Amino acid sequence: MKNDSYFMAQAIVEAQKSLNEGGIPIGAVLVVDGEVVGRGHNRLLQAESAILHGEMDCIESAGRLQGADYQKSALYTTLSPCTMCSGAIMLYNIHRVVIGENTTLIGPEELLRE
């Protein structure tokens, strides 16, 4: 059965990809109706990017979804989303965010709760 643990494990797989590439081990998956529609991992170092955090890479890889799909989606991320990623989550009205850990970094989680 696909549940939060299953999808977080998928985000961890993405984080491992980043680590294997010499990057920062942060990963994310976007889920709609119980299916992964986007995957991403932190590619700041690999792509010499200023914005390719795991969440941003994941949202980008999902492509353009319908507004209704974003509203019923869940984003699983291995690390608390930063302000930039939280802004994208709010911009696309992603309904639910499941965070793996927030001791390494804590983003504006209260803003996401609102």
Side-chain angles (χ1 to χ4, degrees), residues 47-60:
E48 296 184 14
S49 170
I51 62 169
L52 282 179
H53 290 189
E55 300 90 345
M56 300 295 279
D57 191 40
C58 174
I59 293 167
E60 177 70 15

Side-chain angles (χ1 to χ4, degrees), residues 32-111:
V32 176
D33 293 332
E35 297 298 324
V36 174
V37 297
R39 297 177 170 276
H41 56 275
N42 189 293
R43 297 191 309 127
L44 292 176
L45 301 176
Q46 302 91 310
E48 296 184 14
S49 170
I51 62 169
L52 282 179
H53 290 189
E55 300 90 345
M56 300 295 279
D57 191 40
C58 174
I59 293 167
E60 177 70 15
S61 80
R64 295 287 307 200
L65 302 177
Q66 297 293 315
D69 289 328
Y70 287 115
Q71 291 175 1
K72 62 183 177 179
S73 70
L75 180 75
Y76 293 80
T77 179
T78 60
L79 184 65
S80 181
C82 72
T83 303
M84 174 182 68
C85 294
S86 294
I89 289 164
M90 292 185 304
L91 176 69
Y92 288 100
N93 292 315
I94 294 173
H95 174 74
R96 184 168 181 248
V97 179
V98 180
I99 298 169
E101 71 97 358
N102 66 359
T103 55
T104 303
L105 172 83
I106 186 163
E109 292 177 15
E110 191 57 42
L111 188 60

Side-chain angles (χ1 to χ4, degrees), residues 3-56:
N3 57 20
D4 286 345
S5 295
Y6 173 84
F7 292 119
M8 186 56 70
Q10 295 297 302
I12 291 169
V13 166
E14 292 299 315
Q16 185 64 51
K17 286 181 186 176
S18 183
L19 187 61
N20 293 347
E21 295 169 357
I24 302 163
I26 302 167
V29 294
L30 185 64
V31 176
V32 176
D33 293 332
E35 297 298 324
V36 174
V37 297
R39 297 177 170 276
H41 56 275
N42 189 293
R43 297 191 309 127
L44 292 176
L45 301 176
Q46 302 91 310
E48 296 184 14
S49 170
I51 62 169
L52 282 179
H53 290 189
E55 300 90 345
M56 300 295 279

